[in-house]
Amino acid sequence: LRPVMRLTTTRAVHTLRDAAGNPLAELVRDRVTADREDGQGTARWAEIEVELAEGSGTELLDAVEEALLSAGLRRADTPSKLRRALADTGLAPAPHAVAAPDAEPPRTAGEAVLRYVRTQTAALVALDPAVRRGREDSVHRMRVASRRLRSALRTHRALLDRAATDPIIDELRWFAGELGLERDLEVLSARLRERVDALPADLRPGPV
């Protein structure tokens, strides 16, 4: 094993609050620089991630995502900073698009919606083994896929059979809550490890 990439992140954290000042969510804005260890490539980009505060509903994520998309941002097409760094510096192929470049465009609105729904459903199924095995970033990626699927089913109700999709929306809302608990544990564990690692050695005489 040898290092191939050095990632440098400048992070700004913003807390979204309600009118009474209670925290609703944490918005993290990262500016990332990726440098190949062999000096043959550098990539830079910015990204935003939103995590709900305890007690906030997942509907807030939909509202925040809509605001960010309206402001000109776009959804990330890679699951992690490292994956993007490898692709952008030529060490790995770019991730496959949702549809092949030569795929026929959808002919109707319903066909476009179903194509998107099938893509998110396939992502959920593909991520299932990784989530069960505790693979890095898999819970976060599954949350994103489930949120996108639920948002699509809600937004395009006029094109779908609501008798079939409304129960799925309820299930996805519950599912997002379950994944949120696991994601909160991941984030908390990572922060605790960072805090412990930052302590002077004389304050960490044994295993923590």
Side-chain angles (χ1 to χ4, degrees):
L1 297 178
R2 61 184 178 84
V4 297
M5 189 72 62
R6 183 177 299 275
L7 293 175
T8 305
T9 301
T10 302
R11 171 163 292 182
V13 180
H14 306 273
T15 302
L16 307 182
R17 302 179 183 274
D18 61 17
N22 301 310
L24 297 174
E26 189 175 82
L27 186 148
V28 177
R29 184 182 58 189
D30 288 344
R31 296 189 180 277
V32 186
T33 301
D35 296 298
R36 281 174 49 168
E37 288 288 341
D38 60 8
Q40 299 301 306
T42 297
R44 293 182 177 86
W45 69 90
E47 62 185 41
I48 286 177
E49 182 174 341
V50 180
E51 290 288 343
L52 289 177
E54 183 177 356
S56 295
T58 53
E59 292 79 6
L60 177 63
L61 283 179
D62 294 335
V64 172
E65 181 181 45
E66 182 178 350
L68 294 176
L69 293 175
S70 299
L73 278 72
R74 60 181 177 83
R75 295 184 182 94
D77 55 6
T78 52
S80 67
K81 291 180 174 66
L82 177 59
R83 185 79 168 269
R84 174 162 182 174
L86 294 172
D88 286 3
T89 59
L91 285 178
H96 294 294
V98 171
D102 58 350
E104 292 185 6
R107 292 165 294 181
T108 66
E111 190 175 313
V113 172
L114 288 176
R115 182 177 297 184
Y116 185 80
V117 166
R118 290 188 185 108
T119 298
Q120 303 310 320
T121 302
L124 288 176
V125 174
L127 285 165
D128 179 59
V131 170
R132 293 178 186 275
R133 295 184 175 119
R135 296 289 190 254
E136 183 179 0
D137 204 40
S138 59
V139 171
H140 170 65
R141 291 160 58 197
M142 181 172 268
R143 282 187 73 197
V144 171
S146 65
R147 189 167 69 239
R148 289 175 178 173
L149 178 57
R150 183 162 61 92
S151 179
L153 295 179
R154 290 174 56 192
T155 302
H156 302 291
R157 282 174 169 171
L159 298 172
L160 300 168
D161 180 0
R162 293 186 57 179
T165 59
D166 282 358
I168 298 175
I169 292 173
D170 293 337
E171 289 292 315
L172 288 170
R173 183 181 297 110
W174 167 83
F175 188 48
E178 295 298 306
L179 291 174
L181 296 174
E182 292 299 319
R183 178 62 176 165
D184 289 345
L185 289 175
E186 288 181 352
V187 172
L188 180 59
S189 298
R191 289 180 179 174
L192 289 174
R193 285 194 296 270
E194 290 175 0
R195 298 286 180 89
V196 170
D197 291 342
L199 291 173
D202 58 342
L203 295 182
R204 294 187 283 118
V208 179

